[in-house]
Amino acid sequence: MERATVIVAIDGPSGTGKSSTSKAVAAQLGLSYLDTGAQYRAITWWMVNNGIDIEDPSAIAAVAGKPEIVSGTDPTGPTITVDGTDVAGPIRTQEVTSQVSAVSAVPEVRARITELQRSIASDAENGIVVEGRDIGTTVLPDADLKIFLTASPEARAARRSGELKGADVQSTREALLKRDAADSSRKTSPLAKADDAVEVDTSELTLQQVIECVVTLVEEKRAGK
Ligand code: DC
């Protein structure tokens, strides 16, 4: 018996192909798609824009409930707005990228964004692919399928510098490892593999191969295997 809805959690560090894979799998299977990193980037963008001291967790916590963050979940054209402003471009700047780990480590920020993520997932009629760092462990521990994507630091740095249109691989590698170390060591729901997640090492795989692998896993789950 095929199940009507399916909730897929895809976690892993940066540069493992999470976003491209999650979007393509959702599009192929007719599911919604949620990029939770974009939500943390959006709240970080708001903090920076409003002059909040990023070094001060209590200042961040005090205003964590203020910005209204709305995510559009169509995998062929995901959107993100803060208080009605389209921030899809600004959240990818170096300024936001370098501050997002500090903002997303604040428990009040995580509580707020986690609640939003759960409500989006429960509203997705056909099911959803949710990508992030703590989806399988904290946000959606009852997800039907949990995937943890990994890749060697070299493969991840090469992919990221390609995305950043030729940025230096060595400095990209350092920035990426620093962000992953911060995301993995924070106290509140760090980047971690859930015990029941399927680990896929993407270092030697093409994007198409990773997508096929995940689609197969979802289809097997839906078929009740
Ligand atoms: O996936 P990304 O690189 O856009 O994520 C940006 C940051 O957001 C990442 O460094 C850590 C944080 N994040 C998080 O703490 N929890 C998530 N579920 C997703 C992202």
Side-chain angles (χ1 to χ4, degrees):
M1 248 303 262
E2 284 229 340
R3 295 172 54 184
T5 66
V6 65
I7 296 203
V8 182
I10 303 192
D11 291 301
S14 358
T16 51
K18 264 194 331 278
S19 292
S20 311
T21 303
S22 303
K23 263 186 275 192
V25 168
Q28 215 164 304
L29 297 174
L31 306 175
S32 299
Y33 160 73
L34 178 62
D35 174 359
T36 64
Q39 297 175 312
Y40 285 103
R41 286 171 180 273
I43 199 165
T44 302
W45 174 85
W46 185 89
M47 298 280 167
V48 172
N49 235 29
N50 283 275
I52 309 300
D53 180 3
I54 302 295
E55 308 287 313
D56 180 357
S58 60
I60 295 174
V63 293
K66 282 200 168 177
E68 195 201 356
I69 296 166
V70 177
S71 301
T73 58
D74 176 349
T76 62
T79 57
I80 180 111
T81 62
V82 180
D83 298 330
T85 300
D86 175 2
V87 293
I91 62 169
R92 305 285 162 194
T93 59
Q94 190 48 40
E95 187 182 25
V96 169
T97 302
S98 64
Q99 321 237 42
V100 64
S101 291
V103 173
S104 59
V106 175
E108 287 78 0
V109 168
R110 298 208 74 78
R112 165 100 204 285
I113 302 286
T114 297
E115 193 189 324
L116 195 58
Q117 292 160 355
R118 288 182 178 147
S119 125
I120 292 169
S122 72
D123 286 350
E125 282 181 11
N126 294 329
I128 189 164
V129 178
V130 184
E131 61 140 312
R133 304 290 192 291
D134 61 339
I135 310 306
T137 52
T138 305
V139 178
L140 301 168
D142 297 329
D144 299 293
L145 177 66
K146 301 177 185 179
I147 311 277
F148 195 78
L149 296 183
T150 62
S152 67
E154 291 67 32
R156 291 162 45 210
R159 286 175 190 159
R160 260 296 138 94
S161 55
E163 280 168 21
L164 300 174
K165 309 226 172 4
D168 170 59
V169 177
Q170 186 55 30
S171 53
T172 304
R173 183 179 193 273
E174 277 161 26
L176 187 134
L177 292 180
K178 191 172 156 212
R179 189 149 64 93
D180 287 342
D183 296 339
S184 305
S185 62
R186 67 171 174 241
K187 280 211 183 96
T188 312
S189 64
L191 161 65
K193 175 182 171 294
D195 291 340
D196 52 349
V198 180
E199 184 165 334
V200 179
D201 184 343
T202 68
S203 311
E204 305 291 328
L205 301 178
T206 63
L207 174 61
Q208 202 47 44
Q209 288 171 322
V210 183
I211 294 167
E212 276 164 25
C213 168
V214 177
V215 165
T216 304
L217 289 167
V218 177
E219 283 175 340
E220 284 176 1
K221 203 33 105 172
R222 275 178 148 175
K225 279 189 198 159

